[in-house]
DNA sequence: CGGATGATTGAAATGACTCAAATAAAGTGG
DNA sequence: CCACTTTATTTGAGTCATTTCAATCATCCG
């Protein structure tokens, strides 16, 4: 049973910050109003569990704001984050009640939730939604595969650099400015869990990059990229970072 | 440009070994004949490259028989396998010409290929195909996330045990027999690439499991599982291996 | 101010890697 | 069918990156 509090915030889809990237991206005005009719906002505080592995879930959702994580745990307690959910990312899987990982809010999070049954009905009738959902799933698959390369082959230093570069790329700050300041949305422990490292190693690598003048911390959760080329160089990726597309 | 030889093998979809698992799984007879009209079989020998990263591909395909791998490579040559394609798995991404990894045949492989344009048209018009493709993508995403847990947190021994157990589970031998013999479809080097290890470590772990009587080799590419419970215990997974579903 | 949580740093232990050599299997051409 | 080469695999010894264990430091918040 699911006891997550519903929070009926009034927000019109027109002014939604993820309108053009989320599952609704391709919808026209009519389709949007159908989604609007079945949506409910739910809020979570930093640290709150959103969904537990194996628990039946009766909704699917888009992340509107904040950061959530997907994680898997072995019997003995070792855990690995298997996904980072940023605004516009989608949670849930049509046709399957249960998910195979835990979902946790790492910052305050707002979700735009759709009840399963009406959403699945809409999905059948609205190719624009189905196509977009497919696209999102395939993007996640690409991201998962990049992460497999990171987890399997990159050094601690490269992992940290890649992580920072990822945050930079997905944060929507001004494109032009050369020195970027960005908030770290997670603790060292959570970063370690994402990168397949220990929190001590994460801390050491941050310190090392800081000593080299590549990054700097104004506060433990606020990072400044001082030398972006050096950072990209430390990721181990090609200069272009993947496909030109 | 793509210079892969077409091989027009005559095979009716009715008798296709992957008929009920591949992208065509949900199709009725009429839909199947539409797919049949645009399909072409292509064969590859063990070791052949099937697709290169970044190269434009004008077809999508299902694996009919054999094993292929997806792999990514860092600038300095370190490579990580990011997927294993077994019969019924799908290659390619509607709406995108390029793929972000190399695809290689590790055994002799037969693909059932669909030319991009007509396939994408069919996809728009045939919900049964779109739905199945979505399901396959989501299954791959689940598999990718399981693999992230393996790459990030498991020991060499656990990785090897998990790999053997995966092969056992996806090989369609008799369900009842307690001692299973299965062919390893890849070299030690390829296994290492899949598991984020070196080939020496792979060899050592095989030797170790063999010494303990968990597995045995009749030949270097043919493995026998002598003690399945012990093997499963060595994977680090829960007894049920995941969701009961 | 004090207690709790999160982060950093140090020292030691270790699992997997690297380098190197030995062995086994698989072709190849005479 | 047999030397000979090539390739795949196993095994050993030493090294190193990351982990583990432990202590200190910083920050937040009542």
């Amino acid at each position: 049973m699911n006891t997550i509090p519903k929070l009926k915030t009034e927000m019109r889809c027109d002014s939604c910050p993820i309108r053009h990237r989320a599952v609704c991206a391709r919808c026209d005005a009519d389709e949007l109003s159908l989604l609007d009719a079945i949506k409910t906002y739910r809020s979570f505080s930093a640290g709150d569990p959103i969904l537990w592995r194996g628990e039946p879930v009766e909704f699917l959702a888009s992340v509107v704001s904040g950061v959530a994580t997907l994680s898997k745990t072995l019997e003995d307690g070792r855990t690995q984050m298997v996904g980072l959910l940023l605004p516009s990312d989608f949670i849930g899987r049509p046709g399957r009640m249960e998910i195979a990982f835990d979902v946790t809010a790492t910052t305050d999070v707002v979700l735009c939730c759709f009840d399963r049954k009406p959403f699945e009905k809409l999905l059948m009738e609205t190719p624009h939604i189905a196509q977009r959902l497919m696209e999102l799933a395939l993007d996640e698959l690409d991201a998962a595969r990049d992460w497999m390369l990171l987890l399997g082959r990159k050094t601690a230093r490269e992992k940290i650099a890649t992580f920072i570069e990822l945050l930079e790329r997905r944060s929507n700050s001004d494109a032009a400015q050369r020195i970027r300041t960005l908030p770290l949305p997670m603790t060292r422990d959570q970063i370690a869990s994402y990168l397949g490292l220990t929190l001590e190693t994460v801390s050491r690598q941050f310190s090392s990059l800081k000593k080299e003048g590549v990054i700097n911390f104004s506060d433990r959760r606020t990072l400044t990229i001082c030398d972006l080329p050096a950072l990209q160089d430390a990721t181990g990726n090609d200069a272009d970072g993947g496909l030109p597309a």
Side-chain angles (χ1 to χ4, degrees), chain A residues 155-156 196-198 200-201 204-205 220:
Chain A
T155 65
L197 296 170
T198 59
E200 295 95 331
T201 301
R204 277 185 246 275
Q205 295 300 331
R220 292 196 293 200

Short mmCIF file of all heavy atoms in Angstrom, two decimals, chain A residues 155-156 196-198 200-201 204-205 220, chain D residues 17-22 25-28:
data_model
loop_
_atom_site.label_atom_id
_atom_site.label_comp_id
_atom_site.label_asym_id
_atom_site.label_seq_id
_atom_site.Cartn_x
_atom_site.Cartn_y
_atom_site.Cartn_z
N THR A 155 39.31 5.31 -13.37
CA THR A 155 39.97 5.47 -12.07
C THR A 155 39.13 6.40 -11.20
O THR A 155 38.22 7.08 -11.69
CB THR A 155 41.36 6.10 -12.24
OG1 THR A 155 41.18 7.43 -12.76
CG2 THR A 155 42.23 5.31 -13.19
N ALA A 156 39.45 6.43 -9.92
CA ALA A 156 38.71 7.27 -8.99
C ALA A 156 38.72 8.73 -9.46
O ALA A 156 37.69 9.41 -9.45
CB ALA A 156 39.32 7.16 -7.60
N GLY A 196 30.63 4.12 -7.37
CA GLY A 196 31.26 2.85 -7.05
C GLY A 196 32.56 3.03 -6.30
O GLY A 196 33.54 2.34 -6.56
N LEU A 197 32.58 3.99 -5.37
CA LEU A 197 33.78 4.26 -4.57
C LEU A 197 33.38 4.30 -3.10
O LEU A 197 32.23 4.08 -2.75
CB LEU A 197 34.36 5.64 -4.96
CG LEU A 197 34.87 5.83 -6.39
CD1 LEU A 197 35.17 7.29 -6.67
CD2 LEU A 197 36.11 4.97 -6.63
N THR A 198 34.37 4.57 -2.23
CA THR A 198 34.04 4.83 -0.83
C THR A 198 34.02 6.35 -0.63
O THR A 198 34.59 7.09 -1.43
CB THR A 198 35.12 4.25 0.11
OG1 THR A 198 36.38 4.84 -0.22
CG2 THR A 198 35.20 2.75 -0.03
N GLU A 200 35.56 8.09 1.53
CA GLU A 200 36.91 8.62 1.75
C GLU A 200 37.62 8.90 0.42
O GLU A 200 38.28 9.94 0.27
CB GLU A 200 37.75 7.63 2.56
CG GLU A 200 37.26 7.40 3.99
CD GLU A 200 36.36 6.20 4.11
OE1 GLU A 200 35.67 5.87 3.11
OE2 GLU A 200 36.30 5.59 5.19
N THR A 201 37.48 7.98 -0.51
CA THR A 201 38.13 8.18 -1.81
C THR A 201 37.54 9.39 -2.52
O THR A 201 38.27 10.17 -3.15
CB THR A 201 37.98 6.91 -2.68
OG1 THR A 201 38.58 5.82 -1.99
CG2 THR A 201 38.65 7.07 -4.02
N ARG A 204 39.08 12.40 -0.94
CA ARG A 204 40.48 12.55 -1.36
C ARG A 204 40.59 13.10 -2.77
O ARG A 204 41.43 13.96 -3.05
CB ARG A 204 41.18 11.20 -1.29
CG ARG A 204 41.69 10.84 0.08
CD ARG A 204 42.48 9.54 0.01
NE ARG A 204 41.80 8.48 0.75
CZ ARG A 204 41.93 8.30 2.06
NH1 ARG A 204 42.69 9.11 2.78
NH2 ARG A 204 41.29 7.33 2.68
N GLN A 205 39.77 12.62 -3.67
CA GLN A 205 39.86 13.09 -5.05
C GLN A 205 39.40 14.54 -5.19
O GLN A 205 39.97 15.31 -5.96
CB GLN A 205 39.04 12.17 -5.97
CG GLN A 205 39.58 10.75 -6.05
CD GLN A 205 40.99 10.66 -6.58
OE1 GLN A 205 41.43 11.49 -7.36
NE2 GLN A 205 41.73 9.64 -6.14
N ARG A 220 30.96 23.19 1.51
CA ARG A 220 31.14 21.78 1.16
C ARG A 220 30.14 21.27 0.12
O ARG A 220 30.32 20.22 -0.46
CB ARG A 220 31.06 20.92 2.42
CG ARG A 220 32.26 21.18 3.31
CD ARG A 220 32.43 20.12 4.34
NE ARG A 220 31.33 20.14 5.30
CZ ARG A 220 31.42 19.58 6.49
NH1 ARG A 220 32.52 18.99 6.88
NH2 ARG A 220 30.40 19.62 7.31
P DA D 17 49.02 3.79 -8.36
OP1 DA D 17 49.46 4.45 -9.59
OP2 DA D 17 49.47 4.24 -7.03
"O5'" DA D 17 47.41 3.76 -8.37
"C5'" DA D 17 46.74 2.85 -9.22
"C4'" DA D 17 45.43 2.47 -8.57
"O4'" DA D 17 45.66 1.55 -7.48
"C3'" DA D 17 44.64 3.63 -8.00
"O3'" DA D 17 43.28 3.45 -8.36
"C2'" DA D 17 44.88 3.54 -6.49
"C1'" DA D 17 45.11 2.05 -6.28
N9 DA D 17 46.08 1.70 -5.23
C8 DA D 17 47.25 2.35 -4.95
N7 DA D 17 47.94 1.79 -3.98
C5 DA D 17 47.18 0.69 -3.62
C6 DA D 17 47.35 -0.31 -2.64
N6 DA D 17 48.42 -0.38 -1.84
N1 DA D 17 46.40 -1.26 -2.53
C2 DA D 17 45.34 -1.20 -3.35
N3 DA D 17 45.05 -0.30 -4.30
C4 DA D 17 46.02 0.62 -4.38
P DT D 18 42.19 4.53 -8.00
OP1 DT D 18 41.25 4.58 -9.13
OP2 DT D 18 42.87 5.76 -7.50
"O5'" DT D 18 41.45 3.85 -6.77
"C5'" DT D 18 40.95 2.53 -6.93
"C4'" DT D 18 40.63 1.94 -5.58
"O4'" DT D 18 41.86 1.72 -4.84
"C3'" DT D 18 39.73 2.78 -4.68
"O3'" DT D 18 38.57 2.01 -4.42
"C2'" DT D 18 40.59 3.05 -3.44
"C1'" DT D 18 41.57 1.89 -3.47
N1 DT D 18 42.86 2.08 -2.75
C2 DT D 18 43.26 1.12 -1.83
O2 DT D 18 42.60 0.12 -1.59
N3 DT D 18 44.46 1.37 -1.24
C4 DT D 18 45.29 2.47 -1.44
O4 DT D 18 46.35 2.56 -0.84
C5 DT D 18 44.81 3.42 -2.40
C7 DT D 18 45.62 4.64 -2.71
C6 DT D 18 43.64 3.19 -3.01
P DT D 19 37.45 2.46 -3.39
OP1 DT D 19 36.17 1.99 -3.95
OP2 DT D 19 37.63 3.88 -3.02
"O5'" DT D 19 37.79 1.56 -2.13
"C5'" DT D 19 37.92 0.16 -2.31
"C4'" DT D 19 38.34 -0.50 -1.00
"O4'" DT D 19 39.66 -0.05 -0.63
"C3'" DT D 19 37.42 -0.20 0.18
"O3'" DT D 19 37.07 -1.44 0.79
"C2'" DT D 19 38.26 0.71 1.08
"C1'" DT D 19 39.68 0.30 0.74
N1 DT D 19 40.73 1.33 0.89
C2 DT D 19 41.82 1.08 1.68
O2 DT D 19 41.97 0.05 2.32
N3 DT D 19 42.76 2.09 1.72
C4 DT D 19 42.71 3.30 1.05
O4 DT D 19 43.63 4.11 1.15
C5 DT D 19 41.54 3.49 0.24
C7 DT D 19 41.39 4.79 -0.52
C6 DT D 19 40.61 2.52 0.19
P DT D 20 36.00 -1.48 1.95
OP1 DT D 20 35.32 -2.78 1.79
OP2 DT D 20 35.25 -0.20 1.95
"O5'" DT D 20 36.87 -1.52 3.29
"C5'" DT D 20 37.96 -2.41 3.41
"C4'" DT D 20 38.68 -2.15 4.72
"O4'" DT D 20 39.61 -1.06 4.56
"C3'" DT D 20 37.77 -1.78 5.90
"O3'" DT D 20 38.14 -2.60 7.00
"C2'" DT D 20 38.09 -0.30 6.14
"C1'" DT D 20 39.53 -0.19 5.66
N1 DT D 20 39.97 1.14 5.16
C2 DT D 20 41.22 1.59 5.50
O2 DT D 20 41.98 0.98 6.23
N3 DT D 20 41.58 2.80 4.96
C4 DT D 20 40.79 3.58 4.12
O4 DT D 20 41.21 4.65 3.69
C5 DT D 20 39.49 3.05 3.81
C7 DT D 20 38.58 3.84 2.91
C6 DT D 20 39.15 1.87 4.33
P DC D 21 37.30 -2.63 8.34
OP1 DC D 21 37.31 -4.02 8.80
OP2 DC D 21 36.03 -1.90 8.12
"O5'" DC D 21 38.19 -1.76 9.36
"C5'" DC D 21 39.59 -2.03 9.48
"C4'" DC D 21 40.25 -0.92 10.24
"O4'" DC D 21 40.45 0.22 9.37
"C3'" DC D 21 39.46 -0.39 11.44
"O3'" DC D 21 40.34 -0.32 12.54
"C2'" DC D 21 38.98 0.98 10.98
"C1'" DC D 21 40.13 1.38 10.06
N1 DC D 21 39.84 2.45 9.07
C2 DC D 21 40.83 3.38 8.78
O2 DC D 21 41.93 3.30 9.35
N3 DC D 21 40.57 4.34 7.86
C4 DC D 21 39.39 4.40 7.26
N4 DC D 21 39.20 5.37 6.37
C5 DC D 21 38.36 3.46 7.55
C6 DC D 21 38.62 2.50 8.45
P DA D 22 39.83 0.13 14.00
OP1 DA D 22 40.57 -0.74 14.95
OP2 DA D 22 38.36 0.17 13.99
"O5'" DA D 22 40.38 1.61 14.13
"C5'" DA D 22 41.70 1.91 13.71
"C4'" DA D 22 41.96 3.39 13.85
"O4'" DA D 22 41.57 4.07 12.63
"C3'" DA D 22 41.17 4.07 14.98
"O3'" DA D 22 42.07 4.88 15.74
"C2'" DA D 22 40.14 4.91 14.25
"C1'" DA D 22 40.89 5.25 12.97
N9 DA D 22 40.04 5.62 11.84
C8 DA D 22 38.85 5.06 11.46
N7 DA D 22 38.31 5.61 10.41
C5 DA D 22 39.21 6.62 10.07
C6 DA D 22 39.21 7.58 9.04
N6 DA D 22 38.25 7.68 8.13
N1 DA D 22 40.26 8.44 8.99
C2 DA D 22 41.23 8.33 9.91
N3 DA D 22 41.34 7.46 10.93
C4 DA D 22 40.27 6.64 10.94
P DC D 25 42.58 18.31 14.91
OP1 DC D 25 43.85 18.99 14.61
OP2 DC D 25 41.99 18.32 16.27
"O5'" DC D 25 41.49 18.88 13.90
"C5'" DC D 25 41.69 18.73 12.49
"C4'" DC D 25 40.41 19.11 11.78
"O4'" DC D 25 39.44 18.07 11.96
"C3'" DC D 25 39.79 20.40 12.29
"O3'" DC D 25 39.68 21.29 11.21
"C2'" DC D 25 38.43 19.95 12.85
"C1'" DC D 25 38.18 18.68 12.07
N1 DC D 25 37.27 17.67 12.69
C2 DC D 25 36.15 17.22 11.97
O2 DC D 25 35.92 17.69 10.85
N3 DC D 25 35.33 16.29 12.54
C4 DC D 25 35.61 15.81 13.75
N4 DC D 25 34.78 14.89 14.25
C5 DC D 25 36.74 16.25 14.49
C6 DC D 25 37.54 17.18 13.94
P DA D 26 39.17 22.78 11.39
OP1 DA D 26 39.95 23.63 10.47
OP2 DA D 26 39.09 23.08 12.84
"O5'" DA D 26 37.69 22.67 10.82
"C5'" DA D 26 37.50 22.18 9.50
"C4'" DA D 26 36.02 22.15 9.21
"O4'" DA D 26 35.40 21.07 9.95
"C3'" DA D 26 35.28 23.42 9.59
"O3'" DA D 26 34.56 23.81 8.43
"C2'" DA D 26 34.38 23.01 10.76
"C1'" DA D 26 34.20 21.52 10.53
N9 DA D 26 34.02 20.67 11.71
C8 DA D 26 34.83 20.60 12.81
N7 DA D 26 34.43 19.70 13.69
C5 DA D 26 33.29 19.15 13.12
C6 DA D 26 32.40 18.14 13.56
N6 DA D 26 32.53 17.49 14.71
N1 DA D 26 31.36 17.85 12.75
C2 DA D 26 31.23 18.51 11.59
N3 DA D 26 32.00 19.46 11.07
C4 DA D 26 33.02 19.74 11.90
P DT D 27 33.80 25.18 8.32
OP1 DT D 27 33.91 25.64 6.94
OP2 DT D 27 34.21 26.04 9.45
"O5'" DT D 27 32.31 24.70 8.56
"C5'" DT D 27 31.84 23.58 7.82
"C4'" DT D 27 30.44 23.21 8.31
"O4'" DT D 27 30.53 22.36 9.48
"C3'" DT D 27 29.57 24.40 8.70
"O3'" DT D 27 28.33 24.24 8.05
"C2'" DT D 27 29.47 24.29 10.22
"C1'" DT D 27 29.57 22.79 10.41
N1 DT D 27 30.04 22.29 11.73
C2 DT D 27 29.38 21.22 12.30
O2 DT D 27 28.45 20.67 11.79
N3 DT D 27 29.89 20.82 13.51
C4 DT D 27 30.97 21.37 14.20
O4 DT D 27 31.33 20.92 15.28
C5 DT D 27 31.60 22.49 13.54
C7 DT D 27 32.77 23.15 14.19
C6 DT D 27 31.12 22.89 12.35
P DC D 28 27.35 25.44 7.84
OP1 DC D 28 27.18 25.69 6.40
OP2 DC D 28 27.74 26.55 8.74
"O5'" DC D 28 26.00 24.79 8.40
"C5'" DC D 28 25.75 23.40 8.13
"C4'" DC D 28 24.93 22.81 9.27
"O4'" DC D 28 25.76 22.57 10.42
"C3'" DC D 28 23.79 23.74 9.74
"O3'" DC D 28 22.57 23.02 9.62
"C2'" DC D 28 24.16 24.05 11.21
"C1'" DC D 28 25.01 22.85 11.59
N1 DC D 28 26.00 23.06 12.69
C2 DC D 28 26.05 22.14 13.74
O2 DC D 28 25.26 21.19 13.76
N3 DC D 28 26.95 22.32 14.74
C4 DC D 28 27.80 23.35 14.69
N4 DC D 28 28.68 23.49 15.69
C5 DC D 28 27.77 24.31 13.62
C6 DC D 28 26.87 24.12 12.65
#
